[in-house]
Amino acid sequence: MSAPIKHKAFAVGELPAGKSRRILLSDVEVSVFNVEGVYYAIKDTCPHQEVSLSSGTVEGTVLTCPGHVWKFDLVDGRCVKGDTDVCALTYPVVVEDGAVFVEV
């Protein structure tokens, strides 16, 4: 497995707090969420039924899948409602020089 590559996702002001954006990085669909100025990145495909997570709702750092209402923590991907043995893949996010970068 190769080392993650840091990709520029967008400028800091382009994603308002409370919003999300689905982007393609290194052939991987990633959803980036702005939670009160903190950015989180998660693989866009739900590990349960492969539904896009980008349109899910977020309370605190808990993302609810719009397909079957499973819940995942954006911090570490662990499932907090549904099959707790299943995790969503999360990616490190770095903010520098006015841009948001995701390591994929």
Side-chain angles (χ1 to χ4, degrees):
M1 180 179 240
S2 60
I5 297 172
K6 185 167 75 170
H7 300 271
K8 181 178 179 183
F10 46 82
V12 168
E14 292 180 17
L15 184 63
K19 300 294 183 181
S20 66
R21 178 179 290 177
R22 185 174 64 200
I23 54 178
L24 181 65
L25 302 172
S26 291
D27 296 325
V28 177
E29 290 282 345
V30 176
S31 290
V32 180
F33 293 85
N34 179 342
V35 180
E36 298 180 15
V38 179
Y39 297 92
Y40 299 93
I42 191 166
K43 185 174 182 182
D44 184 57
T45 306
C46 178
H48 172 228
Q49 291 283 329
E50 298 187 9
V51 172
S52 172
L53 294 172
S54 63
S55 63
T57 57
V58 176
E59 290 183 41
T61 61
V62 176
L63 166 65
T64 300
C65 175
H68 293 93
V69 198
W70 281 28
K71 296 178 184 277
F72 300 93
D73 193 317
L74 289 170
V75 174
D76 58 12
R78 67 187 165 85
C79 183
V80 295
K81 181 182 176 201
D83 183 346
T84 56
D85 291 331
V86 175
C87 287
L89 184 58
T90 59
Y91 302 99
V93 178
V94 178
V95 177
E96 59 185 33
D97 299 324
V100 177
F101 294 86
V102 179
E103 295 180 11
V104 176

